[in-house]
């Protein structure tokens, strides 16, 4: 069941309210008895793991530093 909480009360109990939201409870914040907002937990964002596709096979020489001639060819 959703609990209605006055905004002033929510200010003083925010830490407690957030702990309860983390456990799945929902709250409606009201000002002068009029509902103005709802607080509920968000669904965790599913993390996407990158790097799942294999890269091209590279020769070991790929990782060696470029020669002065190769650097000059690249304008470096």
């Amino acid at each position: 069941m959703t609990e209605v909480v006055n905004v002033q009360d929510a200010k003083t109990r925010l830490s407690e309210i957030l702990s309860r939201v983390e456990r799945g409870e929902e709250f409606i914040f009201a000002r002068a008895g009029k509902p103005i907002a709802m607080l509920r937990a968000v669904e965790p964002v599913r993390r996407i793991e990158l790097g799942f596709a294999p890269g091209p096979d590279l020769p070991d020489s790929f990782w060696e530093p470029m020669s002065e001639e190769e650097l000059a060819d690249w304008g470096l």
Side-chain angles (χ1 to χ4, degrees):
M1 180 173 172
T2 303
E3 185 175 334
V4 179
V5 179
N6 187 1
V7 172
Q8 187 63 39
D9 189 33
K11 286 180 183 181
T12 59
R13 297 177 41 212
L14 184 59
S15 183
E16 172 207 337
I17 291 171
L18 289 175
S19 293
R20 290 173 60 184
V21 167
E22 286 178 319
R23 292 192 301 265
E25 295 184 48
E26 295 181 352
F27 288 83
I28 293 178
F29 295 148
R31 184 177 289 127
K34 181 180 176 186
I36 58 172
M38 180 178 218
L39 180 65
R40 63 180 176 86
V42 296
E43 295 294 323
V45 177
R46 188 176 68 106
R47 294 186 60 92
I48 298 173
E49 187 173 329
L50 300 178
F52 52 86
D57 288 330
L58 299 172
D60 290 338
S61 62
F62 177 83
W63 302 106
E64 295 174 4
M66 291 181 163
S67 67
E68 292 297 323
E69 183 179 307
E70 291 170 319
L71 289 170
D73 289 344
W74 283 92
L76 302 173

